[in-house]
Amino acid sequence: MPEQCFLGVDLGAESGRVLAGLLDDKQIRLEEIYRFSNGPVPVAGTRRWNVIGLWSSILKGLSLAAQKYGDRIISVGVDTWGVDYALLSGKQELLGQPYHYRDPRTEGMLNLATSRVSKADIFDATGLQFMEINTLYQLLSMQQTDPELLHQADKFLLMPDFFHWLLSGSQVVEFTNATTTQCLNPKTGDWAWDLLRRLEIPTAMFPQIVPPGTKLGTLRDEVMQQTGLGKIDVIAPATHDTASAVAAIPTSNTGKADWAYISSGTWSLMGVEVDSAVLGRRAFELNVTNEGGIDGTYRLLKNIMGLWLVQECRRAYERRGTTLDYSELADAAASADAFRSLVDPDDPRFLSPDDMLDAIKGYCEETSQPAPETAGQFIRCALESLALKYRKVLGWLEELTGTPVEVIHIVGGGTKNELLNQFTANSCQIPVITGPVEATGLGNVLVQARAAGSVSSLAEIREIVRNSTETCQYEPQDREIWEQAVQRFDLLLHVK
């Protein structure tokens, strides 16, 4: 079979890319066609996404892809972060500039929701971790502050679905991203209609939910004219970036729960792949989440704050006039004293602080620990704390599935942080395999390849990834020292 080309649009919280996935003889290679910046835009006291700017960048990337690959291009699909959405009117007008999940409008909305519907009932209806950034609380905020605009909405589309609408005119929501909203019922696979009505959120705007790999249509005529692409298919991949990343984990144990993953980047999403959502009282108590995967699987996982802590420390130093690249920060952390200070990465103060250095100092002072003073101490605190949180979450996952985890796969940009990878193996005391870095892009284009009939199964997707990418393995070290740190971390969480 001649080489086939599948285009993946991968939008992250800091940047976006148009990628070409080139499939030939059961091997895949990715080529980055165009990269562009992304991030929250301050607008009159709010944080928004510049979706029009993103669309313009996507068109440029698609134009470059058309020039290079022409008739070899079979399809295109978009993946993004979760929870955020766009609203369309009945006349196909965008209603407002979509909000960024770190916008403060959701503050207090979780408490408001649980004053109307108990947390236990919300979890039973959705199986999702309680976080104020979830779509449910964004919609509740809009219902409180701008009900007129909300009632004008004819269609609710999550971010990748919005861009699929721009590409093809489709108005559906793909399953994996729908499961991030806390608006979907994992027992029915449909929207949690009763919960939405009890919270007085309009339901007529919610569209059909479709599985990953669904053909949404072909490119709009104007998109073909603007980009030079032919009448290619628009395919919904696993549109949540973590779902795409997990699809591309190079495990040979598909169908088993004896391996865990960490999709490591701004957020760390740590979980296991299971056949159905894990609900019940203990899952509720542990505040885990059930997000959709390929073939009706669920990703039983926990959202952990991730390398956001490191990114924000770096930005805080830049505001102070000191520019440090990530390699310099990693070297400084490696030289710093071990376990001087620890924090809970998921403490609410770290979600959107004015200054991450001050937030970490405040936490340490409140917990009677020496506050970090140097860049190395701040970064080591963040990385050791993340690794210890991974150990905690690993125990919860094993408890809920009843299956010991034998290996952790780390994918995404965080695979480049060798110090964190080694800390993770040390903390969890099992091997860690890192790679591929480009798991999200690979998962995106390989699900498209499966939709085209070029790949037969999820297991084959992962086999192709194993054949095509390099991995690195970290073995656990310093068991006794890390076990002492685990006990200290547990006490810290208990105190907080």
Side-chain angles (χ1 to χ4, degrees):
M1 181 185 295
E3 184 178 72
Q4 298 175 301
C5 180
F6 304 90
L7 300 182
V9 179
D10 173 33
L11 301 181
E14 290 191 319
S15 65
R17 302 171 303 161
V18 175
L19 304 166
L22 303 162
L23 182 64
D24 185 16
D25 193 26
K26 301 307 178 184
Q27 287 200 323
I28 186 85
R29 60 186 175 91
L30 279 184
E31 180 178 341
E32 184 176 291
I33 303 296
Y34 184 59
R35 179 183 286 267
F36 45 93
S37 63
N38 190 22
V41 179
V43 178
T46 67
R47 294 185 182 188
R48 310 283 184 135
W49 292 109
N50 181 11
V51 293
I52 304 305
L54 289 173
W55 175 238
S56 177
S57 295
I58 290 168
L59 289 175
K60 182 174 180 178
L62 295 179
S63 297
L64 293 171
Q67 293 170 26
K68 185 161 189 178
Y69 292 108
D71 293 342
R72 282 187 284 168
I73 299 172
I74 293 174
S75 63
V76 61
V78 182
D79 70 77
T80 79
W81 62 95
V83 306
D84 290 335
Y85 61 90
L87 299 176
L88 299 180
S89 73
K91 294 185 178 180
Q92 309 294 286
E93 289 287 342
L94 178 62
L95 295 175
Q97 195 77 2
Y99 281 90
H100 187 284
Y101 59 82
R102 294 190 194 274
D103 184 86
R105 68 185 179 137
T106 57
E107 292 176 5
M109 290 301 109
L110 176 54
N111 288 337
L112 177 61
T114 55
S115 72
R116 297 180 180 180
V117 182
S118 73
K119 288 185 80 169
D121 283 353
I122 294 175
F123 185 81
D124 184 63
T126 64
L128 211 72
Q129 178 178 358
F130 288 89
M131 302 176 69
E132 279 200 320
I133 65 173
N134 290 348
T135 316
L136 183 66
Y137 310 115
Q138 295 195 42
L139 290 170
L140 186 58
S141 173
M142 196 170 187
Q143 186 252 5
Q144 293 292 297
T145 60
D146 200 355
E148 296 84 4
L149 188 64
L150 186 61
H151 282 275
Q152 289 179 40
D154 181 68
K155 281 293 181 293
F156 162 92
L157 299 176
L158 293 166
M159 297 310 296
D161 308 302
F162 171 71
F163 290 109
H164 285 145
W165 170 70
L166 289 171
L167 287 166
S168 68
S170 70
Q171 294 188 13
V172 296
V173 170
E174 186 273 326
F175 169 71
T176 65
N177 222 323
T179 61
T180 73
T181 62
Q182 210 162 23
C183 298
L184 180 137
N185 188 325
K187 291 176 284 190
T188 65
D190 201 355
W191 299 110
W193 301 114
D194 182 61
L195 173 64
L196 294 168
R197 294 187 186 104
R198 290 174 70 183
L199 292 175
E200 300 178 0
I201 294 171
T203 57
M205 64 182 177
F206 287 89
Q208 177 188 1
I209 298 168
V210 300
T214 297
K215 179 180 175 180
L216 303 175
T218 55
L219 287 182
R220 293 176 185 260
D221 289 342
E222 63 264 30
V223 176
M224 290 190 287
Q225 293 169 3
Q226 290 167 321
T227 62
L229 288 168
K231 205 172 186 64
I232 64 172
D233 289 335
V234 178
I235 303 293
T239 61
H240 187 224
D241 48 15
T242 307
S244 274
V246 172
I249 285 177
T251 179
S252 57
N253 282 7
T254 297
K256 299 179 181 179
D258 60 357
W259 57 276
Y261 61 84
I262 301 173
S263 180
S264 180
T266 300
W267 291 89
S268 289
L269 293 96
M270 183 176 190
V272 292
E273 189 173 76
V274 292
D275 292 333
S276 58
V278 177
L279 305 173
R281 182 170 183 81
R282 186 56 177 155
F284 166 64
E285 290 172 348
L286 294 174
N287 195 26
V288 296
T289 202
N290 291 274
E291 296 180 357
I294 304 295
D295 294 344
T297 59
Y298 273 84
R299 294 171 287 121
L300 175 66
L301 63 86
K302 190 79 171 175
N303 288 61
I304 303 166
M305 200 72 75
L307 289 169
W308 167 254
L309 279 77
V310 174
Q311 294 163 359
E312 285 299 292
C313 283
R314 181 171 179 260
R315 274 190 276 268
Y317 273 110
E318 288 179 343
R319 289 193 294 269
R320 288 165 168 79
T322 302
T323 299
L324 298 167
D325 63 33
Y326 286 120
S327 62
E328 290 175 311
L329 291 173
D331 289 343
S335 300
D337 291 339
F339 307 118
R340 184 176 187 273
S341 316
L342 298 173
V343 300
D344 178 1
D346 296 317
D347 188 280
R349 77 187 73 199
F350 302 134
L351 178 64
S352 189
D354 293 331
D355 187 287
M356 185 63 79
L357 303 180
D358 289 342
I360 291 174
K361 283 182 180 178
Y363 185 102
C364 292
E365 289 167 358
E366 289 178 21
T367 53
S368 302
Q369 301 180 88
E373 297 174 355
T374 67
Q377 289 172 354
F378 275 106
I379 303 306
R380 185 152 189 139
C381 169
L383 298 182
E384 288 177 339
S385 298
L386 278 174
L388 290 165
K389 193 61 180 278
Y390 297 160
R391 165 69 174 263
K392 193 74 175 173
V393 172
L394 180 66
W396 294 340
L397 296 171
E398 291 178 328
E399 177 186 349
L400 290 170
T401 63
T403 303
V405 171
E406 298 176 0
V407 63
I408 297 172
H409 287 268
I410 299 181
V411 295
T415 59
K416 299 176 183 178
N417 194 313
E418 296 179 3
L419 190 59
L420 178 57
N421 299 335
Q422 186 61 61
F423 285 172
T424 302
N426 296 351
S427 178
C428 297
Q429 284 297 303
I430 54 177
V432 165
I433 297 174
T434 62
V437 175
E438 298 287 2
T440 297
L442 288 167
N444 179 323
V445 297
L446 283 168
V447 168
Q448 293 184 57
R450 180 177 168 179
S454 301
V455 180
S456 63
S457 65
L458 177 56
E460 187 179 0
I461 285 175
R462 289 169 172 161
E463 180 185 0
I464 291 171
V465 174
R466 289 197 302 276
N467 293 341
S468 309
T469 60
E470 294 184 358
T471 59
C472 182
Q473 185 157 326
Y474 296 79
E475 296 295 335
Q477 301 172 359
D478 303 328
R479 180 183 183 91
E480 184 175 342
I481 297 171
W482 277 88
E483 287 300 323
Q484 293 172 3
V486 167
Q487 295 175 27
R488 178 180 157 197
F489 188 72
D490 286 346
L491 288 173
L492 182 68
L493 295 187
H494 179 70
V495 169
K496 290 300 290 183

